[in-house]
Amino acid sequence: MDDNDEQQELAGLHFDNRFTRSLPADSESIKHPRQVYEACYSRVHPTIVSQPSLIIHSSEVANTLGLSDRLCKSDAFSEIFSGNRLLPGMDPHATCYGGHQFGNWAGQLGDGRAINLGELMNHDNEHWMLQLKGSGPTPYSRTADGLAVLRSSVREFLCSEAMYHLGVPTTRALSLVLTGEMVMRDMFYDGRAALEPGAIVCRTAPSFTRFGSFQIFASRDDPTTLKKLLDHTIINDFPHLGKPDKQVYLQWFREVCQSTAELMVHWMRVGFVHGVMNTDNMSVLGLTIDYGPYGWLEGYDPDWTPNTTDREMHRYAYGQQPNIAGWNLARLGEAILPLIDNISALQEALNSYPQSYKQMSQQMMADKLGLLSFNPETDKTLFDELENMLTISETDMTIFYRKLANIDINIDIKKSNINNLIEPLLDAYYQPSTLTENTRQQISNWLRSYILRLQNDGLSNSERRKKMNRINPKYVLRNYLSQVAIDKAEEGDYSEIHRLHALLKQPYDEQPEFDAYAAKRPDWARDRAGCSMLSCSS
Ligand code: AMP
Ligand code: MG
């Protein structure tokens, strides 16, 4: 690609910055950390880096944005998506928000290391906010440096793209660029700080507005800015709701409750644990946002959290996520209460959350098990017993559901013995040889009820298997897989990042050449940092 083509393509990009155009800006333009009042954002330039080089980009995201693959591989692209070069029409800024962290109000947080470049309008007239994560300090950086390291950037790039292909609502990643700078990090807050390579992910979403974006104005008793942000959000991201008024605010809140419930159902379905469900990490669009110390369930354990900061409380453990989302929605409801002024109507809207979650989650479980639909008379017990069974001996959740799809429902239950029944599932157990007689009995009892239940539905084995394999992934971003890719990347070998990115585009397909990536976590990864334990330091 010569310079002329590049210039032409770049000149064709159109930015339409609705957020900065319509909402109040910080009146000061200094970067140093401070409280910013009555403003939704501060204009701030990304910090220049010494040697930006592209590690990987997502062709699909580029395509959505109207960027060619050739452009993505050019030097100009690395310059732009490391923040070294701004394009005409960009309006770089960091947004102001607050949040409850681990249940406590934390005051102003804001984009401490994220800088929005602007809203790119694509060929379909969609607006995509482009955001650099790790491009230097902003007024919201508090005591931190505004930077991101390679390991956390690889994790965000790969996981957000993997989630998209799993069908889970998420922000997406356009690019991962190495900055050429080294960044100091104390990974486990134990005084052993070390230099790590710096990196920047460009991520994108229709908007990055969070629950905490509203909370900050409510906490400061600033209903004027609160109203401006809510009106802006409704007009641009929820245009079907019509002209904002009290009724529309309520309807908006109901929709956030609904999309959050959908998101939780997806996380539970695929075994994703976000790790830091603070209210500043909750998107009002119901997207998975801010990939930090997240993890994937390997052994099924509702109490598991990958986040070392949460080791004592397990507040954000896998099984807690739906409840925590409800708690977070209650905080969002409180924040917009001054604009609605009707606490019972708001409470009623909030009550829709547990109702829709329950209903959707029952249907999701029915789908995971290949049932035609949820039958309250039989299936509640079936699900409860399954949950029990999955926790008695370490069972790989992902493998379990894929193996379950292979069960033959035409067998004669009365004649088949325990061994025959559980044989197809043994691969899902971390220590199949240590299953006690009681456990084997429990598993085979459950399988008997399950097979009887399936026989009632009348689907054939192959119809059912196809249906189950469409929603139970074979490939997820197992915790140790990212770590292996990171270890290699830190030595300059990016091949594993590319391999994972490619194979996770088809998480529901068999892909036999990648079978090793669908295997159980190896023993060495059980307690290794980065594989099962992660800190917020990134
Ligand atoms: P998190 O929970 O990781 O999403 O971050 C919580 C808050 O800390 C947000 O306001 C972030 O912008 C901020 N933050 C996290 N890491 C850094 C960093 N290295 N420099 C500046 N701010 C940061
Ligand atoms: Mg965050």
Side-chain angles (χ1 to χ4, degrees), residues 9 28 37 44 47 66 77 81 91 148 178 192 202-203 209 224 230 270 313 331 347 374-375 413 416 453 471 513 538:
E9 194 177 330
E28 289 184 53
Y37 294 101
V44 58
T47 301
F77 182 90
F81 292 101
D91 190 6
L178 208 57
R192 286 185 294 165
C202 175
R203 53 185 193 175
T209 302
T224 311
L230 186 50
V270 298
M313 281 165 53
R331 304 290 81 73
Q347 183 62 51
F374 173 71
N375 175 351
I413 295 184
S416 64
R453 172 68 182 83
I471 86 145
E513 71 278 25
S538 58

Side-chain angles (χ1 to χ4, degrees), residues 150-189:
L150 179 60
R151 80 185 134 82
S152 65
S153 307
V154 168
R155 286 170 48 82
E156 169 129 18
F157 182 91
L158 286 177
C159 196
S160 60
E161 286 304 283
M163 291 283 265
Y164 172 79
H165 292 288
L166 283 165
V168 183
T170 179
T171 61
R172 295 203 63 182
L174 168 65
S175 54
L176 166 58
V177 172
L178 208 57
T179 61
E181 317 283 342
M182 296 302 278
V183 175
M184 187 65 87
R185 283 289 179 272
D186 183 356
M187 204 200 305
F188 283 104
Y189 308 116

Side-chain angles (χ1 to χ4, degrees), residues 184-369:
M184 187 65 87
R185 283 289 179 272
D186 183 356
M187 204 200 305
F188 283 104
Y189 308 116
D190 61 0
R192 286 185 294 165
L195 285 171
E196 299 185 44
I200 295 174
V201 169
C202 175
R203 53 185 193 175
T204 174
S207 124
F208 287 91
T209 302
R210 299 140 191 275
F211 290 10
S213 310
F214 296 94
Q215 287 183 283
I216 187 72
F217 303 118
S219 79
R220 288 171 169 171
D221 201 11
D222 176 6
T224 311
T225 318
L226 178 68
K227 180 172 185 317
K228 284 181 186 162
L229 180 63
L230 186 50
D231 288 353
H232 177 85
T233 302
I234 290 171
I235 291 165
N236 294 291
D237 297 317
F238 297 79
H240 55 279
L241 292 180
K243 196 165 165 285
D245 63 16
K246 284 186 183 181
Q247 279 312 312
V248 169
Y249 295 152
L250 259 179
Q251 188 52 28
W252 174 80
F253 184 60
R254 272 189 214 106
E255 290 204 6
V256 180
C257 289
Q258 178 69 20
S259 61
T260 304
E262 282 166 22
L263 183 66
M264 291 308 113
V265 170
H266 278 294
W267 286 2
M268 301 308 279
R269 168 175 70 84
V270 298
F272 176 77
V273 190
H274 182 283
V276 207
M277 287 179 71
N278 293 334
T279 55
D280 51 301
N281 290 337
M282 299 288 295
S283 145
V284 294
L285 299 184
L287 306 174
T288 312
I289 191 172
D290 282 9
Y291 291 84
Y294 68 80
W296 292 84
L297 269 197
E298 284 163 334
Y300 183 88
D301 175 6
D303 202 32
W304 184 73
T305 172
N307 185 354
T308 50
T309 314
D310 197 21
R311 208 167 12 198
E312 307 277 301
M313 281 165 53
H314 292 240
R315 179 180 172 86
Y316 298 142
Y318 172 72
Q320 292 300 324
Q321 297 186 119
N323 282 341
I324 290 290
W327 191 89
N328 289 344
L329 282 163
R331 304 290 81 73
L332 175 63
E334 281 163 10
I336 61 166
L337 179 59
L339 302 181
I340 294 178
D341 209 18
N342 181 343
I343 196 158
S344 57
L346 204 57
Q347 183 62 51
E348 205 182 304
L350 182 62
N351 292 345
S352 70
Y353 171 78
Q355 287 159 12
S356 7
Y357 177 76
K358 185 173 169 196
Q359 197 191 2
M360 287 189 290
S361 135
Q362 285 168 335
Q363 186 54 46
M364 175 270 284
M365 280 305 296
D367 290 339
K368 278 183 90 64
L369 293 181

Side-chain angles (χ1 to χ4, degrees), residues 7 26 28 32 124 135 198 254 264 330 334 377 382 442 529:
Q7 291 316 323
D26 177 7
E28 289 184 53
H32 74 75
D124 294 328
S135 54
R254 272 189 214 106
M264 291 308 113
E334 281 163 10
E377 270 164 38
L382 191 73
Q442 190 177 344

